Amino acid sequence: MKKSLTANIMFLFVFFLFTGLVTLPAQAGKAGKTVFATIGTGGITGVYYPTGGAIAKIVNEKKEQYGIRCTVEATAGSVFNVNAVLSGDLEFGIVQSDRQYQALNGLEEWKDKPQKDLRSVFSIHPESVTLVATVESGIKTMTDMKDKRVNIGNPGSGQRQNSIDALTAVGLDYEKDIKKEEVKAAEAPGLLQDGRIDAFFYTVGHPSGAFKEATAGATKVCFVPISGPGIDKLISEKPYYAKAVVPVKHYPTAQNDGNVETFGVKATFVTSSKVSEKVVYAVTKEIFENFEAFKSLHPAYEDLTKENMLEGLSAPFHPGAVKYYKEAKMVEVDKSRNVLIEKDGKKVKIGTVGK
Ligand code: GLU
């Protein structure tokens, strides 16, 4: 019995190896043919996962030319991705702009440990800190959350700190004033629909599978505004937060009349200083040269422009990305390695080139 199980596992492994469903990076390196670049995303009902897929699809169309093959991994989210990129487990990661800033500057999960090897490639879609609650729970404002069962997000996710910041800003202690859950975003809609939680936070682009699932079941739910003087103060204090809305047009069965106020960040594409210039250049070039094709792959990219894909980044740019931006005449680089764009006839610094 045991022997046949081992044999089956071996068979499956060899099968997956041949079909390319699992890869051996070391072997690929030795053969000198294909370099594997893995992109860390998020849960499969978010927007990072299809975004990783969209990037991989476009880059893999030139697999033969570059000898690069992109693969996508579902992960716990932003914080996990930063750490996995810096440890060399992943070549790229999709990361909230606030988490990028915190990692670079040694804040929150990286307190006193600035992650100096983190590198920006480009930014992608906007993400809003989104709170949804069952109508039955009676939660209509943030302060109604007292003593309610609320999912703040799993460790490793980007949203966990956004939930804590929002709760703290309205005077609620996330450890004491709510019944806190910390499950992954992919599990939260099911729990909400089953009445096992009253509300959950998720920082994500729209539309997302998670909120389609949360709003489409028999249990009536509504998006809750994250607004008021406490939230305004939070936004003014943190450089990485800005006002945003939840666009409810994507979720017609949610019990809301119009867009819901909140705050938000941006999804960004990051790598490490240790990843080769060749790989980062190829990925950057393919996404920008096939911009319209990329943009058509997800409705969350509705407002993307090549120009705004260079905004919201705080880590130094990877030299491979800048090589493309210079070639495409999108930026100039001065002697002090400052990256400049032209805005209203003036040169404006948007970052630096990392080493
Ligand atoms: N913003 C979430 C996080 O950083 C992920 C959202 C998504 O997967 O689209 O963890």
Side-chain angles (χ1 to χ4, degrees), residues 41-43 45-49 76-79 94-96 99 125 127 156-159 202-205:
T41 61
T45 57
V47 179
Y48 288 7
Y49 188 71
S78 285
V79 174
I94 308 178
V95 168
Q96 287 179 204
R99 304 313 231 147
H125 56 280
E127 300 187 86
S157 71
Q159 62 267 12
Y202 190 20
T203 303
V204 71

Side-chain angles (χ1 to χ4, degrees), residues 135-150:
V135 169
E136 206 194 324
S137 70
I139 301 173
K140 290 205 171 80
T141 67
M142 280 288 293
T143 43
D144 297 334
M145 302 251 275
K146 188 146 174 41
D147 299 326
K148 302 290 185 193
R149 297 160 302 168
V150 181

Side-chain angles (χ1 to χ4, degrees), residues 17 22-32 34-38 89 91:
L17 198 61
V22 292
T23 51
L24 291 178
Q27 182 199 43
K30 242 187 238 162
T34 306
V35 175
F36 290 89
T38 305
D89 287 342
E91 282 69 35

Side-chain angles (χ1 to χ4, degrees), residues 80-305:
F80 176 94
N81 294 344
V82 166
N83 295 335
V85 162
L86 292 170
S87 68
D89 287 342
L90 297 172
E91 282 69 35
F92 295 99
I94 308 178
V95 168
Q96 287 179 204
S97 50
D98 52 328
R99 304 313 231 147
Q100 185 186 139
Y101 180 96
Q102 290 160 358
L104 186 81
N105 293 293
L107 302 167
E108 306 299 355
E109 279 88 340
W110 303 274
K111 187 146 182 53
D112 302 325
K113 285 179 265 164
Q115 305 294 309
K116 294 294 177 205
D117 286 336
L118 192 61
R119 293 291 174 266
S120 293
V121 185
F122 48 76
S123 67
I124 323 169
H125 56 280
E127 300 187 86
S128 33
V129 182
T130 308
L131 174 63
V132 71
T134 61
V135 169
E136 206 194 324
S137 70
I139 301 173
K140 290 205 171 80
T141 67
M142 280 288 293
T143 43
D144 297 334
M145 302 251 275
K146 188 146 174 41
D147 299 326
K148 302 290 185 193
R149 297 160 302 168
V150 181
N151 186 41
I152 64 165
N154 55 297
S157 71
Q159 62 267 12
R160 192 173 179 279
Q161 189 60 43
N162 305 138
S163 317
I164 295 172
D165 286 349
L167 289 163
T168 311
V170 299
L172 291 174
D173 182 331
Y174 78 100
E175 299 276 19
K176 293 191 204 125
D177 295 333
I178 57 164
K179 297 194 184 92
K180 166 188 74 149
E181 295 290 344
E182 297 183 280
V183 302
K184 288 187 174 171
E187 291 163 38
L191 296 180
L192 189 77
Q193 278 294 326
D194 291 348
R196 287 163 60 198
I197 53 173
D198 298 306
F200 74 86
F201 286 97
Y202 190 20
T203 303
V204 71
H206 295 288
S208 74
F211 286 114
K212 284 198 186 284
E213 188 186 338
T215 53
T219 305
K220 286 196 171 14
V221 306
C222 61
F223 293 103
V224 179
I226 307 181
S227 58
I231 300 296
D232 289 345
K233 186 162 176 281
L234 172 70
I235 297 171
S236 71
E237 281 169 4
K238 305 285 186 193
Y240 41 75
Y241 287 152
K243 277 193 185 283
V245 294
V246 178
V248 296
K249 67 174 183 196
H250 298 300
Y251 312 105
T253 46
Q255 306 294 300
N256 295 91
D257 295 331
N259 286 348
V260 176
E261 272 184 62
T262 182
F263 62 98
V265 295
K266 270 189 105 177
T268 71
F269 195 60
V270 302
T271 188
S272 141
S273 60
K274 306 214 166 57
V275 172
S276 80
E277 190 171 309
K278 182 181 157 230
V279 171
V280 181
Y281 171 79
V283 172
T284 310
K285 177 169 171 154
E286 287 315 307
I287 296 308
F288 280 81
E289 305 262 286
N290 297 287
F291 178 72
E292 291 306 327
F294 174 72
K295 201 174 153 168
S296 71
L297 292 177
H298 199 288
Y301 312 149
E302 199 178 12
D303 296 327
L304 278 197
T305 63

